[in-house]
Amino acid sequence: MAFHKPMQGLRALAWALIDFAGRDHVNTVVGLVAEFAPGGESSERNYSKYLAEELDVGEFEKIDIPERLEALMRAIIQYECGEMPYTQEQITNAASVGGNYWNEKTS
């Protein structure tokens, strides 16, 4: 999906990650990759390994997605783009929208 503005894509990423955590109870790196980027065992394995290293967690270790949202978004963007095209402020703003979405879903 293409977005007209970077913040739209960042917010969509935050909402998708929160939705996977809430609706689907996905709470591991391996689970997120399987939901978010299915593309074959080899590519999923590489993706999972990269995200786990960036988050300093095990691939099957339970993680608190809302708490780790910014770090998770940074790692996904870095992996997908090969660089970080967004500022920390943009990621923080998008993650706060995702956090608000989480609060609405769980209250």
Side-chain angles (χ1 to χ4, degrees), residues 30-104:
V30 168
L32 281 171
V33 169
E35 288 286 327
F36 194 79
E41 187 175 322
S42 177
S43 64
E44 284 183 23
R45 176 78 177 121
N46 291 337
Y47 205 160
S48 293
K49 184 177 178 181
Y50 177 83
L51 293 181
E53 287 175 3
E54 289 296 308
L55 295 171
D56 195 28
V57 298
E59 293 177 68
F60 295 93
E61 183 180 334
K62 289 184 180 181
I63 56 175
D64 185 335
I65 303 291
E67 280 292 315
R68 303 295 307 272
L69 188 57
E70 281 187 49
L72 186 55
M73 290 174 66
R74 279 192 307 272
I76 289 170
I77 293 164
Q78 182 71 38
Y79 187 85
E80 293 286 338
C81 297
E83 63 182 3
M84 180 48 66
Y86 306 110
T87 66
Q88 181 58 46
E89 182 180 8
Q90 288 174 304
I91 292 173
T92 298
N93 288 340
S96 71
V97 170
N100 291 338
Y101 180 60
W102 174 258
N103 291 336
E104 289 172 12

